[in-house]
């Protein structure tokens, strides 16, 4: 698949015109929406460079023409946050951090506290992904100390649970996961930002499973990933997941990975054939590819299950999951 061309994202023409700030802010927000749509259709790897160029253009316009426009600043912060997420999913972690830190800085200039929280949560997410638990914990504790309520607080207790699990505090991690789920089950609150739409019971269950995996409790992780599958199946593929195909596939690959870790070959083969292979190629996520590659390497040790090993190898060839990891 070819990378998305910069002109597919747009913005350059609008910035060349002498238009009022509100028109520029509207154009930048439409670019953010377009980046999300392109990422969903083509995947992060093919979208990230075009998104980064558009974000750089918007940042340049802020510096030179609209340094005092809260509306343009807020829209530019959002575009950098979205680009940071796309770079994260493409495993372009340095770029992701730079984009997210810019989003945090620009959101501060706009007085957009909600976007500041969004950027901070993304930094904590990346720290957990890269196994930097001390930094993730500091980000979460500082954010929680500022007193966020509702789904924003729920998000930071979830990130903090992952960080504490990685630091070996499994009891505290489980307590934080329980607190997160309890608050989520209380229902939405007035003032919850729209960007917390993805925080669902299934997502929380997935993070509980990952916290167990982070702590090396692989049996518990398998049980928790089974719970994720139950939640997904309870009300159809879109129930409890925000309708995200990426989450559904990532959940299936994560479950396969955990089953491979505990050498549960029969169940792993079922998950591979039933849940992973049908969606192979329909979700373009470098993060998924790398987790699938690790699962395949583990499945290749099933010496007495030649059919499983052959299927896993075929899966790797079809998905590109067998390629070596690029350096962060």
């Amino acid at each position: 698949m070819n990378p998305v061309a910069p002109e597919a994202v747009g913005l350059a023409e609008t910035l060349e015109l002498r238009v009022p700030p509100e028109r520029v802010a509207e154009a930048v927000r439409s670019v953010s929406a377009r980046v999300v749509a392109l990422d969903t259709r083509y995947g992060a790897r093919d979208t990230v460079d075009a998104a980064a160029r558009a974000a750089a253009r918007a940042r340049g316009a802020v510096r030179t023409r609209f340094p005092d426009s809260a509306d343009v600043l807020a829209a530019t912060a959002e575009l950098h946050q979205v680009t940071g997420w796309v770079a994260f999913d493409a495993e372009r972690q340095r770029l992701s951090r730079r984009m997210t830190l810019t989003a945090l800085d620009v959101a501060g200039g706009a007085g957009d506290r909600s976007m500041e929280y969004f950027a901070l949560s993304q930094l904590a997410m990346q720290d957990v992904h890269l196994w930097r638990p001390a930094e993730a914990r500091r980000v979460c504790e500082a954010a929680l100390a500022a007193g966020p309520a509702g789904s924003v607080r729920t998000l930071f207790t979830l990130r903090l649970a992952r960080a504490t699990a990685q630091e070996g505090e499994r009891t505290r991690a489980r307590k934080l996961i329980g607190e997160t789920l309890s608050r989520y089950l209380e229902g939405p609150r007035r003032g919850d930002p729209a960007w917390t739409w993805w925080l669902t019971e299934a997502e929380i269950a997935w993070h509980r499973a990952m916290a167990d995996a982070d702590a090396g409790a692989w049996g518990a992780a398998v049980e928790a990933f089974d719970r994720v599958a139950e939640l997904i199946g309870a009300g159809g593929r879109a129930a409890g997941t925000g309708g995200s195909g990426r989450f559904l596939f990532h959940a299936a690959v994560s479950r396969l990975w955990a089953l491979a870790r505990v050498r549960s070959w029969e169940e792993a083969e079922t998950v591979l054939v039933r849940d992973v292979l049908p969606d192979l190629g329909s979700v373009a996520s470098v993060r998924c590819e790398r987790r699938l590659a690790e699962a395949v390497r583990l499945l290749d040790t099933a010496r007495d299950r030649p059919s499983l090993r052959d299927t896993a190898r075929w899966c790797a060839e079809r998905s590109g999951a067998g390629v070596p990891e690029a350096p962060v």
Side-chain angles (χ1 to χ4, degrees):
M1 188 174 291
N2 295 323
V4 173
E7 55 269 22
V9 174
L11 191 61
E13 286 186 10
T14 300
L15 294 181
E16 288 171 2
L17 301 173
R18 290 294 168 182
V19 295
E22 57 269 21
R23 283 273 307 278
V24 172
E26 181 182 349
V28 173
R29 289 193 175 94
S30 71
V31 167
S32 294
R34 202 169 303 132
V35 168
V36 172
L38 289 167
D39 174 45
T40 301
R41 182 175 180 183
Y42 298 111
R45 179 191 286 116
D46 295 312
T47 305
V48 62
D49 288 324
R53 290 189 190 99
R57 290 191 194 105
R59 185 70 174 122
V62 164
R63 287 197 190 100
T64 60
R65 295 170 54 196
F66 306 103
D68 301 319
S69 171
D71 200 17
V72 176
L73 284 165
T76 300
E78 180 185 23
L79 178 55
H80 279 80
Q81 184 279 321
V82 167
T83 303
W85 152 254
V86 173
F88 171 80
D89 198 44
E91 291 286 6
R92 298 271 295 277
Q93 299 300 342
R94 289 193 183 94
L95 176 61
S96 176
R97 192 163 191 85
R98 188 166 74 248
M99 289 288 131
T100 308
L101 286 171
T102 300
L104 181 62
D105 178 59
V106 177
D112 189 340
R113 188 59 173 155
S114 176
M115 184 53 64
E116 285 184 283
Y117 278 131
F118 201 176
L120 285 170
S121 74
Q122 192 156 282
L123 289 174
M125 173 187 70
Q126 185 187 48
D127 286 333
V128 166
H129 180 64
L130 297 176
W131 273 78
R132 298 171 180 165
E135 185 171 335
R137 176 173 46 78
R138 285 193 293 270
V139 170
C140 292
E141 288 175 344
L144 288 167
S151 58
V152 175
R153 188 168 192 85
T154 302
L155 176 58
F156 280 106
T157 56
L158 184 64
R159 302 283 190 226
L160 183 58
R162 293 289 307 279
T164 54
Q166 290 183 358
E167 290 184 313
E169 298 182 48
R170 190 181 174 204
T171 299
R172 187 186 179 204
R174 284 192 157 248
K175 181 179 178 182
L176 285 163
I177 288 286
E179 179 184 332
T180 298
L181 180 58
S182 177
R183 188 179 296 108
Y184 169 78
L185 292 175
E186 290 174 0
R189 299 188 183 186
R190 186 185 298 246
D192 281 351
W195 52 261
T196 59
W197 65 267
W198 60 268
L199 191 59
T200 65
E201 186 174 358
E203 184 82 35
I204 292 168
W206 183 85
H207 279 283
R208 175 173 181 167
M210 288 300 299
D212 286 328
D214 291 341
W218 289 102
V222 167
E223 291 180 9
F225 281 127
D226 289 346
R227 174 58 179 159
V228 178
E230 289 174 9
L231 288 167
I232 290 172
R237 289 173 62 81
T241 65
S244 169
R246 195 190 326 251
F247 174 77
L248 294 169
F249 187 65
H250 204 173
V253 168
S254 299
R255 189 181 184 198
L256 177 68
W257 167 67
L259 288 166
R261 287 297 299 253
V262 299
R263 302 175 67 84
S264 183
W265 303 135
E266 185 173 351
E267 193 172 358
E269 188 162 12
T270 298
V271 171
L272 176 62
V273 173
R274 183 191 63 204
D275 301 328
V276 174
L277 292 186
D279 287 332
L280 201 63
S282 65
V283 177
S285 167
V286 178
R287 288 184 306 133
C288 283
E289 288 175 5
R290 292 188 178 179
R291 178 146 292 151
L292 183 56
E294 185 176 350
V296 166
R297 285 193 291 271
L298 293 166
L299 293 173
D300 201 43
T301 66
R303 302 297 179 189
D304 57 341
R305 302 292 297 249
S307 65
L308 173 59
R309 295 174 67 197
D310 288 345
T311 304
R313 289 172 180 175
W314 179 86
C315 175
E317 291 172 3
R318 285 289 302 274
S319 67
V323 298
E325 288 195 11
V328 171

